[in-house]
Amino acid sequence: MKSFSAHILGQATIIAIATLFTSCEKELEFKYHAHSPILVIEGNLTQNGSRVALTETVPVDHQITNLPVTDANVLITDITDNETYMLALDDEGYYSNPMSGIPGHVYTLEVNRNNKKYASTSIMYEGVVIHSLSFEWIKMPYDYVAALQVAFSDSDIAATDYWIRVYRNSEPYNWGIVSSRNSENGMINYAIMTTRQNPDENDGDAILDNDIITVSVAPISHSMFNYLQ
């Protein structure tokens, strides 16, 4: 991973007028199937270390809490070098280790909890080269929107897809995924919509003059691309 510091209108009118004369209201009660919580594992390995978040699913009609799971054993094995690293629970509820990932090596993430074992194996890809970041105003029906344009290349572009993440003042802001099939001559150009030119007062997506925008591009497997999609 490398970072860088981007008609029915008539029908609707008829329906609206009709409601002036008659209305019908019915309460719908949804019954959801009861399921036991499922462990959710999200791991990230970079040149700066590894970090794994463990959470559990919640029923559809419950509030999402994202409370961390802290009673598991987590380890990463570098299959290429035959070395295993234990991940320790940090103050934020993540399992982490400062060991650096090595491009080209194959790694297995293993989680053990409640006498159950979960494991996944993947290769660490080479980092991409980000060539440019720029903002461009795009005219939309409701306002102008600043599109963040990201241009990058990869030495092995046919083997991977990409996860693009945008941070505002070091906090997650937006993200997108792009397939390697979108490349032209080894280069990928991708646009992410950001702030409006005339945002509302309480618009949480507004980017201010002093905000610092950072972009990271991570090569990911096709299966990870499908998961995010």
Side-chain angles (χ1 to χ4, degrees), residues 168 173 194-196 199 202-207:
R168 177 179 56 187
Y173 175 78
T194 62
T195 187
R196 293 171 55 175
N202 298 319
D203 188 353
D205 290 333
I207 295 177

Side-chain angles (χ1 to χ4, degrees), residues 10 14 21 133 213:
I14 293 172
F21 300 96
L133 296 175
I213 303 300

